[in-house]
Amino acid sequence: MSSQKQIQHLARQLFRLSLADGRLSDERVAGVLEYVEKTKPAHATAVLKAFHRLVAAEVARGQAVVEHAGPVSAETLQSIASSLTKRYGRPIAAASRPNPALLAGLRVRVGDDIYESSVSGQLSQLAAAV
Amino acid sequence: MSTVLEQIEQQIAKLQNKAVKKNTGTIRSVADGVARLDGLSDVMYNEMIEFPGGTIGIALNLEEDEVGCVVLGDISKLKEGDECKTTGRLLSVPVGKALLGRTVDALGNPVDGKGPVDAKEFYPVEKIAPGIIVRKSVTQPVFTGIMAIDSMIPIGRGQRELIIGDRGTGKTTIAIDTIINQAKINRVGLASGDPKFRPMYSIYVAIGQKNSNIVRTMAALEAAGALEFTIIVAAAASENPANQYLAPYSGAAMGEWFMENGMDALIVYDDLSKHAVAYRQISLILKRPSGREAYPGDVFYLHSRLLERAARLDGKGSLTALPIIETLAGDLSAYIPTNVISITDGQIFLETDLFNQGTRPAVSVGLSVSRVGSAAQIKATKQVGGKLKGELAQFRELAAFAQFGADLDARTKAQLDRGTRIVELFKQPAFNPIPIEQQVVTLWAMQKGYYDAIDLKKVNAAAVKLREFFATRKDALLTKIRNKAALDAELEAEIKTAVDEWKATYAG
């Protein structure tokens, strides 16, 4: 196995150990980090970087980043979170992030998926179509 | 009524405000025309990926936590961290008659400077080949205009006939001749107003060739008036391997449109050796396991799925494929040649020695074969050329024996003489296809021994003169042969009278 594959393999193993009941657990992540510090595996930095990428992707899967141009009420955020939780079948928390570049409307990001309902998004779609 | 209108307006408003879902990813690395991407959890195999600036890529490796994607076009503007998104579409190219007379790239974009292509339809580049039930056996001929091929290695509509040989043996010339001949037949057929006439459109796919060669091919087709019936798909050597890999599939999609719409098409893949090399490059960069000669394990499937798309469909049209393979030092047993030989329905093998001896086209009769084409050969050609292959094979054997300077009996000498005359007769200049009725007349005169008294070196010139005589003075007879497609006693008598007339005037 090449070193790159070994790194990926170990990072995936560590990631699996970080899950409790299919969800990321803070305690387990801390435990994994402690283990890496103690054992110092070959290419430790690369392993940790790969591990970080996997954890970041998992965190993003459970979080809906709601970008908005105007004010967004707590109820709206709550309704977005509950509808996405229903859609994906896993708990998703909503976090608001103001973004005036959107001009108006919302853009919600959950993991790799983006739900675009903003004026800037529609304008760029229009520009691509013309 | 107003409430109904309000309801509709509300529905429209709802639709317009509907959020658009995109599945995105980020570029982790870009190298050698291949991008490795994070994210894109919904991506499908072979799906088009859109990069910033409108650059398109195709997802070829779907791994646990990354996607390997070949980038079509300019990769110099892409950088690590750039966002890309899935499109939900498979790669498609424009198809239809609007492409005739045009030169396009692997994505169907025009590259000939003649303005945009006004195509109404798009076909996916990758498509599963037609199944068993919808197919029909090959019974209609494709005339290449090359006497050696039409008489001994006939090709039928829907057949896959490989053209194989070393570099510089005239492989492309045979393909171009065939395209030119289709244009000539189309012109005559369309002018005749025959409702049963089915024109044959051609697609020439240039893979990994020099741009100068592509220009030369375009010029040859244009000079012969064949470009208006031809689509050229160009993926030159300067283009990235992804485009070279895709070009034959794009050409096949364009050909399939003709086939699906009840028309006939001919597609030339020039050449599949370079196609395999481009695919090998992509596969190695994608870190796929390599096998024999470093080709990936699916290199057979690469060509089989492409060539299986050539077919004759029941109640529809046909797609005939002429793939070209370049061998090294005449080695037919190399990896890619054996693969493609086993996929196709026969091969035309061109020999360097014959080419250098001046036998052009340098078709090796012994190694060339057409597995299904004889069913498509017209009766007239069978009548005049049915025994030629055997005679030539015997001649080659005797010629090898005669090299030792042994004393030969009169019968052997006669056989050798006849063989040499047949070889002379089959010599044909490039880009000069001979109509099938002219071939019949030429071979009929051969069969009846009209060239026997002519000096060996002048046999070919005599045949040219005979064809000129028929073209200028016996056009009605040629039309009769073309329409009847078989020689009966009456027609043979007419041919005999005409050939006798020529013989009387021929000065030698």
Side-chain angles (χ1 to χ4, degrees):
Chain A
M1 213 190 282
S2 69
S3 60
Q4 195 56 41
K5 276 192 180 168
Q6 277 177 333
I7 290 163
Q8 289 298 328
H9 185 69
L10 184 55
R12 255 182 246 131
Q13 271 187 325
L14 295 176
F15 175 70
R16 274 195 286 273
L17 288 170
S18 311
L19 300 176
D21 300 328
R23 283 206 239 154
L24 210 58
S25 146
D26 292 356
E27 294 86 52
R28 286 200 174 211
V29 171
V32 162
L33 292 176
E34 201 178 312
Y35 166 79
V36 172
E37 204 181 348
K38 212 181 278 175
T39 57
K40 290 213 168 43
H43 312 290
T45 320
V47 170
L48 280 178
K49 274 186 182 170
F51 176 65
H52 176 263
R53 212 177 52 237
L54 293 170
V55 172
E58 186 59 27
V59 168
R61 270 163 49 86
Q63 198 180 38
V65 179
V66 182
E67 291 177 56
H68 53 91
V72 172
S73 65
E75 291 83 50
T76 311
L77 283 179
Q78 187 53 45
S79 87
I80 288 171
S82 61
S83 66
L84 288 172
T85 301
K86 206 170 150 191
R87 177 182 268 253
Y88 285 96
R90 59 173 187 258
I92 287 172
S96 106
R97 186 185 292 168
N99 183 359
L102 296 182
L103 303 175
L106 294 174
R107 183 191 285 156
V108 182
R109 179 191 279 269
V110 185
D112 304 336
D113 294 336
I114 293 178
Y115 296 88
E116 183 80 61
S117 183
S118 69
V119 171
S120 81
Q122 284 181 358
L123 285 174
S124 58
Q125 224 178 346
L126 189 70
V130 173
Chain B
M1 185 58 86
S2 62
T3 44
V4 178
L5 286 173
E6 273 170 24
Q7 274 179 347
I8 296 169
E9 280 163 11
Q10 275 174 4
Q11 189 69 25
I12 292 169
K14 243 191 237 173
L15 282 173
Q16 280 173 341
N17 291 331
K18 208 174 172 186
V20 181
K21 188 189 169 190
K22 293 188 289 188
N23 190 249
T24 60
T26 47
I27 299 178
R28 196 195 282 185
S29 68
V30 189
D32 306 311
V34 166
R36 299 191 162 274
L37 314 168
D38 265 337
L40 295 178
S41 52
D42 288 350
V43 72
M44 298 179 289
Y45 183 66
N46 264 341
E47 186 180 343
M48 282 165 78
I49 309 289
E50 197 181 314
F51 291 97
T55 309
I56 295 292
I58 300 173
L60 282 186
N61 263 21
L62 309 185
E63 290 168 28
E64 200 175 338
D65 48 21
E66 74 170 21
V67 174
C69 165
V70 291
V71 183
L72 308 166
D74 189 13
I75 61 159
S76 59
K77 286 171 195 153
L78 303 181
K79 56 183 190 300
E80 191 201 342
D82 275 353
E83 194 172 86
C84 56
K85 64 176 185 190
T86 58
T87 58
R89 287 181 286 131
L90 294 174
L91 186 65
S92 301
V93 287
V95 292
K97 283 193 174 176
L99 286 155
L100 290 171
R102 304 299 305 268
T103 304
V104 295
D105 66 7
L107 301 176
N109 303 315
V111 291
D112 53 5
K114 293 181 187 170
V117 174
D118 183 28
K120 304 273 185 290
E121 280 182 77
F122 286 79
Y123 265 28
V125 165
E126 289 274 5
K127 209 174 173 192
I128 301 290
I132 301 163
I133 297 163
V134 292
R135 286 181 190 242
K136 208 176 167 189
S137 53
V138 174
T139 53
Q140 295 170 330
V142 174
F143 299 120
T144 60
I146 298 159
M147 214 152 51
I149 295 172
D150 287 342
S151 61
M152 294 186 290
I153 319 145
I155 303 170
R157 294 189 183 197
Q159 188 176 343
R160 290 94 37 100
E161 182 77 7
L162 170 66
I163 303 172
I164 186 165
D166 278 9
R167 56 175 288 276
T169 50
K171 301 181 296 297
T172 304
T173 309
I174 286 183
I176 301 298
D177 268 348
T178 310
I179 293 175
I180 292 174
N181 200 41
Q182 303 320 306
K184 279 187 175 180
I185 295 171
N186 288 353
R187 211 161 275 127
V188 173
L190 293 172
S192 72
D194 180 4
K196 282 184 185 166
F197 177 73
R198 296 167 69 91
M200 184 105 163
Y201 300 99
S202 306
I203 298 139
Y204 179 79
V205 187
I207 311 152
Q209 288 190 30
K210 285 177 269 187
N211 274 316
S212 59
N213 278 0
I214 299 172
V215 170
R216 205 184 306 154
T217 305
M218 277 168 69
L221 291 175
E222 196 151 25
L227 201 59
E228 59 180 292
F229 296 104
T230 311
I231 303 168
I232 297 177
V233 182
S238 57
E239 289 192 35
N240 67 35
N243 285 34
Q244 292 179 40
Y245 155 68
L246 274 174
Y249 298 100
S250 305
M254 291 167 195
E256 273 167 345
W257 182 87
F258 290 103
M259 180 171 70
E260 294 287 342
N261 289 284
M263 288 172 266
D264 294 319
L266 167 84
I267 185 160
V268 176
Y269 302 112
D270 193 3
D271 64 75
L272 290 188
S273 311
K274 290 195 188 80
H275 181 235
V277 167
Y279 186 59
R280 174 170 66 184
Q281 188 177 336
I282 291 171
S283 299
L284 289 173
I285 296 166
L286 282 169
K287 293 190 170 44
R288 288 178 175 180
S290 58
R292 184 176 159 188
E293 292 176 29
Y295 287 107
D298 64 343
V299 76
F300 184 90
Y301 180 57
L302 171 83
H303 289 150
S304 65
R305 73 172 193 266
L306 170 71
L307 293 168
E308 274 296 300
R309 287 164 75 173
R312 184 175 171 217
L313 298 184
D314 197 7
K316 290 181 181 172
S318 70
L319 180 63
T320 311
L322 293 182
I324 293 177
I325 287 280
E326 188 177 295
T327 51
L328 285 172
D331 184 13
L332 287 178
S333 60
Y335 190 24
I336 303 302
T338 45
N339 276 357
V340 184
I341 285 172
S342 70
I343 297 164
T344 49
D345 309 309
Q347 72 275 349
I348 297 166
F349 182 59
L350 304 175
E351 268 184 86
T352 315
D353 286 350
L354 286 177
F355 188 85
N356 292 338
Q357 283 163 17
T359 309
R360 295 172 197 180
V363 178
S364 163
V365 179
L367 288 171
S368 302
V369 67
S370 174
R371 289 182 198 130
V372 292
S374 60
Q377 200 172 31
I378 61 165
K379 205 177 166 199
T381 321
K382 270 187 193 158
Q383 283 169 304
V384 294
K387 290 176 189 160
L388 277 176
K389 207 172 179 203
E391 277 182 41
L392 266 182
Q394 267 185 349
F395 160 71
R396 298 260 180 243
E397 215 168 280
L398 284 174
F401 180 67
Q403 272 184 336
F404 297 109
D407 278 341
L408 301 169
D409 59 82
R411 191 165 162 259
T412 313
K413 271 185 187 165
Q415 264 187 322
L416 278 174
D417 184 60
R418 187 173 165 75
T420 325
R421 278 169 203 283
I422 297 173
V423 171
E424 272 305 307
L425 197 69
F426 280 156
K427 286 183 183 173
Q428 201 175 319
F431 310 139
N432 196 8
I434 304 169
I436 194 72
E437 58 275 13
Q438 294 265 30
Q439 291 185 26
V440 170
V441 170
T442 314
L443 292 174
W444 184 90
M446 177 77 224
Q447 198 188 37
K448 301 295 175 194
Y450 277 87
Y451 307 114
D452 289 357
I454 297 167
D455 181 31
L456 185 65
K457 283 181 184 164
K458 291 181 180 168
V459 167
N460 199 279
V464 172
K465 287 265 192 273
L466 174 70
R467 288 197 288 269
E468 274 172 17
F469 174 82
F470 266 79
T472 50
R473 298 216 212 152
K474 303 289 171 191
D475 196 38
L477 181 55
L478 288 177
T479 313
K480 217 171 175 181
I481 300 169
R482 187 169 62 236
N483 294 340
K484 272 196 173 176
L487 301 183
D488 50 20
E490 181 204 337
L491 203 52
E492 275 203 67
E494 277 186 61
I495 296 173
K496 187 176 183 319
T497 319
V499 178
D500 283 339
E501 199 182 311
W502 164 76
K503 184 83 178 165
T505 57
Y506 181 65

